[in-house]
Amino acid sequence: QSALTQPASVSGSPGQSITFSCTGTSNDVGGYNYVSWYQQHPGRAPKLMIYDVSKRPSGVTHRFSGSKSGNTASLTISGLQPEDEADYYCCSYTSTYIWVFGGGTKLTVL
Amino acid sequence: QEQLVESGGGVVQPGRSLRLSCAASGLSFSSFAMHWVRQSPGKGLEWVAVISYDGNSIKLYADSVKGRFTISRDNSKSTLFLEMNSLRPEDTAMYYCARDLSGGGLDYWGQGTLVTVSS
């Protein structure tokens, strides 16, 4: 099972909106609504930001939102803040009954 | 305090075994599936294994560890385990346990335990 495809890096300025993409296949992202997104700061454990494509866990700011179209899932951060600078990973359930992560995207807040 | 705490990591020679533990406290454990996820130094996250809430109906593994790693749990002790055999240098990573909120949405993570496989 290949990893999901994420851009290596993105950047944005404070206050902007930014969208991360996560591309898979009909055997994972496109076939199931079990896509989740994680934020990871250096030296820290990952933190769940979005699950089931678009649901936000309690305590996660409304600035984070998720969506999916076909085989591509997206995470959008609105009103970018300096503390949003981190690595972001997508994850999907797959048709072979396993889970797969994307390679991760490094977000730089300029 | 709601937390997962991993233990059992360390330095081990190739071909040897290691058993990781993940103790849950302050959060519901026995009603949720649990996962192990690892992260090699400077690399991304890699899913390793999942076990169903009851420990019997579902145990699934990544191809990279299938046949070498075994996931298990003791709900009476709110503890998750990962038995790792025939370890390889490429198994060197920080190993995290995580609780499955819904279909793979992992809502609680431990701080990780580092496994280094080296001669």
Side-chain angles (χ1 to χ4, degrees):
Chain A
Q1 181 69 42
S2 300
L4 306 175
T5 300
Q6 297 184 250
S9 62
V10 298
S11 61
S13 301
Q16 283 186 326
S17 290
I18 199 158
T19 297
F20 304 84
S21 63
C22 170
T23 302
T25 70
S26 58
N27 293 321
D28 38 64
V29 174
Y32 304 92
N33 287 325
Y34 291 135
V35 177
S36 51
W37 289 89
Y38 302 87
Q39 176 192 67
Q40 187 180 35
H41 288 106
R44 303 292 298 275
K47 176 185 177 183
L48 178 65
M49 306 306 286
I50 295 289
Y51 69 101
D52 292 356
V53 175
S54 60
K55 296 178 181 177
R56 252 186 323 272
S58 60
V60 172
T61 172
H62 285 63
R63 296 190 298 107
F64 287 80
S65 61
S67 63
K68 188 182 81 168
S69 177
N71 296 335
T72 298
S74 299
L75 173 72
T76 298
I77 308 176
S78 59
L80 204 59
Q81 298 183 1
E83 57 265 34
D84 297 332
E85 185 165 292
D87 294 326
Y88 291 84
Y89 295 92
C90 61
C91 181
S92 176
Y93 179 68
T94 77
S95 60
T96 52
Y97 311 108
I98 65 171
W99 280 259
V100 64
F101 281 93
T105 298
K106 181 178 181 60
L107 170 64
T108 300
V109 180
L110 303 171
Chain B
Q1 184 181 2
E2 301 168 327
Q3 61 179 357
L4 296 171
V5 179
E6 301 95 337
S7 60
V11 180
V12 62
Q13 293 179 328
R16 304 299 290 265
S17 299
L18 210 57
R19 189 193 199 202
L20 306 184
S21 299
C22 166
S25 61
L27 58 96
S28 178
F29 177 82
S30 61
S31 300
F32 293 85
M34 295 293 296
H35 296 249
W36 286 98
V37 176
R38 68 185 182 183
Q39 186 170 34
S40 300
K43 302 298 184 182
L45 300 174
E46 180 187 11
W47 179 81
V48 173
V50 63
I51 187 169
S52 55
Y53 73 99
D54 61 359
N56 294 321
S57 46
I58 296 173
K59 293 182 184 181
L60 300 166
Y61 303 90
D63 288 345
S64 57
V65 307
K66 196 176 298 182
R68 300 187 299 121
F69 289 12
T70 301
I71 189 171
S72 62
R73 66 191 296 164
D74 183 344
N75 283 343
S76 68
K77 297 181 179 179
S78 297
T79 303
L80 175 73
F81 303 100
L82 186 67
E83 186 77 37
M84 305 186 295
N85 299 320
S86 303
L87 282 162
R88 305 166 179 168
E90 54 264 36
D91 295 320
T92 293
M94 183 72 78
Y95 284 75
Y96 296 99
C97 63
R99 191 182 80 165
D100 189 331
L101 173 63
S102 168
L106 307 181
D107 62 344
Y108 283 96
W109 293 67
Q111 83 290 346
T113 187
L114 182 62
V115 173
T116 302
V117 184
S118 173
S119 54

